[in-house]
Amino acid sequence: MSLLELDGVSASYGHADVLHGVSFVLPDNGATGLLGANGAGKTTTLRAISGMVRTTGRIVFDGRDITGLGPDRTAALGIAHVPEGRGTLGQLSVRENLLVGAYRRRDRKQIAVDVDYCLDLFPNLRERVGSNAAALSGGEQQMLAVARAFMAKPRVMLLDEASLGLAPSTARRVYDAVVRLRREAQVAMVVVEQNANLAFSVVDDATVLETGRVALQGSSAELLGMDAVRRAYLGG
Ligand code: ATP
């Protein structure tokens, strides 16, 4: 059963058409990647799903047509977008940021359990739980962005360039947590990631975009078996 399905999705900013008929399917509890050069349309695809850009075609989430629903509605349905640049609330503490992530929920006991789970997932955040988000390192802010998104109890997380600007070991820790969220909390993932080694450590399959169109699609094993993919995304 598919959780999320894009069927011929196109998107534009004003008069600039940037996506042209993108289609892919994400199974329940699956993880799929979006690869492609800068400007290929990866971020825009995530924005189309979460309802932040004008979109045509059809996007079905959990059996329901969500094409054209805005970000509040898609978030309420269980889609958590972790944007590039993180977007944590700098003047709030780590704990407050996590609680903001849970603002739609009323299950207070489970919220406390989930805060603890996030701090277990990211021990760095446990040490900084009372600090303002603005005082965190870039890696800690990325961890907080992922954790805050999880606090909404999403069915799917849209992860945009979570490794950007991070030291390799920090990026690895973020992705180890993403793998755990998928396995332990059954959160499905759509992963946009320049670092294909990290992406392929999470995803089962991927779509390669070129100038807003699907250029290639396949399982991770199929894509990793292609010389062109290895040359373009794995440096050889
Ligand atoms: P990157 O890795 O650089 O973020 P990307 O594959 O995510 O690349 P998008 O950010 O989706 O690509 O951009 C796709 C195209 O849309 C690019 O040509 C970009 O210039 C254009 N674009 C992105 N945002 C806007 C905007 N707000 N207004 C107009 N054009 C935009």
Side-chain angles (χ1 to χ4, degrees), residues 1-40:
M1 161 82 178
S2 71
L3 178 65
L4 176 70
E5 194 166 342
L6 276 69
D7 185 11
V9 169
S10 298
S12 52
Y13 298 101
H15 293 297
D17 297 331
V18 302
L19 284 189
H20 310 277
V22 171
S23 301
F24 65 82
V25 174
L26 175 70
D28 228 343
N29 194 28
T32 196
L34 294 172
L35 304 176
N38 284 339

Side-chain angles (χ1 to χ4, degrees), residues 86-220:
R86 290 138 205 176
T88 54
L89 303 167
Q91 298 314 308
L92 298 186
S93 71
V94 166
R95 184 183 297 283
E96 287 164 343
N97 267 275
L98 295 176
L99 295 175
V100 167
Y103 84 98
R104 289 173 203 279
R105 297 172 53 186
R106 295 289 171 267
D107 49 342
R108 292 180 63 173
K109 281 195 182 135
Q110 190 58 37
I111 289 173
V113 170
D114 290 340
V115 167
D116 203 54
Y117 177 77
C118 287
L119 300 178
D120 172 57
L121 206 55
F122 295 116
N124 298 58
L125 295 184
R126 191 181 289 284
E127 288 169 23
R128 312 293 309 268
V129 73
S131 307
N132 279 359
L136 302 179
S137 70
E140 289 163 344
Q141 287 187 20
Q142 185 64 62
M143 293 172 188
L144 181 56
V146 170
R148 187 180 66 170
F150 168 70
M151 288 303 300
K153 275 284 158 109
R155 301 280 306 280
V156 64
M157 210 178 266
L158 313 178
L159 205 58
D160 200 353
E161 300 280 5
S163 76
L164 205 68
L166 305 187
S169 62
T170 309
R172 186 64 265 165
R173 265 185 285 164
V174 170
Y175 273 87
D176 285 346
V178 168
V179 169
R180 278 187 63 188
L181 286 175
R182 181 183 174 198
R183 198 177 53 226
E184 298 173 354
Q186 282 78 50
V187 182
M189 300 282 169
V190 182
V191 177
V192 168
E193 182 50 67
Q194 290 284 336
N195 181 331
N197 280 311
L198 290 174
F200 282 117
S201 73
V202 177
V203 303
D204 303 322
D205 51 37
T207 296
V208 179
L209 296 177
E210 262 173 38
T211 57
R213 291 183 169 79
V214 174
L216 270 177
Q217 238 157 11
S219 69
S220 299

